[in-house]
Amino acid sequence: MPDSLLKVPLLKVEGLQAWYGESHVLHGVTFDIGRGELVTLLGRNGAGKTTTLRSIMGIVEKRSGSVRFEDGETVGKPSDVIARLGLAYCPEERGIFASLNVEENLLLPPAVKTGGMSLAEIYQLFPNLQERRRSQGTKLSGGEQQMLAIGRILRTGANLLLLDEPTEGLAPVIVQRIGEVIRQLKAHGFTILLVEQNFRFASTLADRFFLMEHGRMIDAFANSELEGRMDRLHEALGV
């Protein structure tokens, strides 16, 4: 990625704090993402990765610090306003509506900006979804539900995608397919913040990595530095 793209971050997070009730979860999280970049948050369960995504989207009970998107401050704004700026969140639990079929699930989120993918483009990316478009969303396989969850946010026109554990619980062949899709999205111009425990999967995709522990960023490195950080990652991730 050209250095010029990384000099003006699309997303800049500084000193981000977050709480669930009385529980203080994030402690001064700071990082940035360049336009068109794919950044991965690594860390064990409970490290604060999902809370970071939720805090960026404004869907935690309390947060402070700074989250700037396209150089505009979003802390203090409600989540629906943040979504309309061009951020989209694909949660780990996927959130497929059981009462809707595949196509209805895809058409449900409103477009927040111009430039979103058309239904035809989403079906081209996910041929399985076109074949199953009249099926109840929760009758799909785990891999198909993950494809549906990702496909649903592509219609919105968002240019920053927050993907939370998209490979969790999926068979290796489906993990490979999800990886191919994420590469295509990056090539399409999307900026992607990926939460992932499987750093071997992430290593084939990410430009940079941030390592989290106990709600703090403890390391940051480029993909080219990954080999030299393997001992550190094994220790931090317990793998």
Side-chain angles (χ1 to χ4, degrees):
M1 169 159 302
D3 290 342
S4 59
L5 287 183
L6 301 182
K7 289 177 182 175
V8 183
L10 179 67
L11 180 77
K12 188 173 183 63
V13 178
E14 291 186 294
L16 183 61
Q17 313 272 344
W19 292 260
Y20 292 121
E22 297 299 315
S23 181
H24 192 176
V25 181
L26 298 185
H27 304 270
V29 168
T30 296
F31 68 100
D32 58 48
I33 306 176
R35 193 178 299 273
E37 192 179 19
L38 194 157
V39 166
T40 297
L41 299 183
L42 297 172
R44 298 191 192 205
N45 283 334
K49 306 184 303 296
T50 292
T51 301
T52 299
L53 297 191
R54 291 173 59 84
S55 298
I56 290 168
M57 287 302 300
I59 49 177
V60 297
E61 293 180 25
K62 179 184 175 184
R63 63 179 182 152
S64 66
S66 175
V67 178
R68 299 189 68 83
F69 177 68
E70 292 190 329
D71 209 31
E73 182 60 60
T74 67
V75 168
K77 289 180 167 55
S79 57
D80 62 313
V81 172
I82 293 172
R84 290 189 185 97
L85 297 174
L87 294 85
Y89 175 43
C90 184
E92 183 181 359
E93 61 272 17
R94 299 170 186 151
I96 305 302
F97 287 90
S99 60
L100 303 179
N101 65 29
V102 166
E103 191 157 297
E104 289 167 339
N105 266 281
L106 285 173
L107 292 172
L108 185 63
V112 297
K113 294 176 71 175
T114 59
M117 283 190 175
S118 67
L119 202 56
E121 288 173 317
I122 293 170
Y123 283 148
Q124 186 175 10
L125 193 62
F126 299 110
N128 286 30
L129 296 185
Q130 184 169 24
E131 295 169 9
R132 303 292 305 277
R133 65 187 182 277
R134 302 303 177 202
S135 300
Q136 187 179 351
T138 51
K139 297 295 185 184
L140 304 182
S141 68
E144 288 170 332
Q145 287 191 37
Q146 185 62 68
M147 293 174 190
L148 176 55
I150 295 173
R152 188 172 53 187
I153 65 175
L154 300 178
R155 281 191 55 258
T156 65
N159 55 337
L160 174 60
L161 309 181
L162 312 180
L163 306 182
D164 194 356
E165 300 279 10
T167 68
E168 179 69 24
L170 301 182
V173 65
I174 304 301
V175 170
Q176 184 177 5
R177 175 60 185 142
I178 295 295
E180 291 169 359
V181 166
I182 292 174
R183 282 188 203 92
Q184 290 180 60
L185 294 177
K186 188 171 185 291
H188 197 80
F190 288 101
T191 302
I192 300 171
L193 176 55
L194 173 69
V195 160
E196 187 59 66
Q197 287 197 71
N198 182 353
F199 71 82
R200 292 182 181 86
F201 168 78
S203 69
T204 66
L205 301 168
D207 297 300
R208 290 187 294 148
F209 300 88
F210 291 93
L211 181 61
M212 296 193 71
E213 190 174 89
H214 305 307
R216 294 177 170 85
M217 292 294 186
I218 62 169
D219 203 359
F221 52 93
N223 195 306
S224 59
E225 302 174 89
L226 181 60
E227 187 175 345
R229 302 295 180 107
M230 292 303 289
D231 289 344
R232 175 81 166 107
L233 286 173
H234 280 289
E235 178 185 350
L237 301 176
V239 293

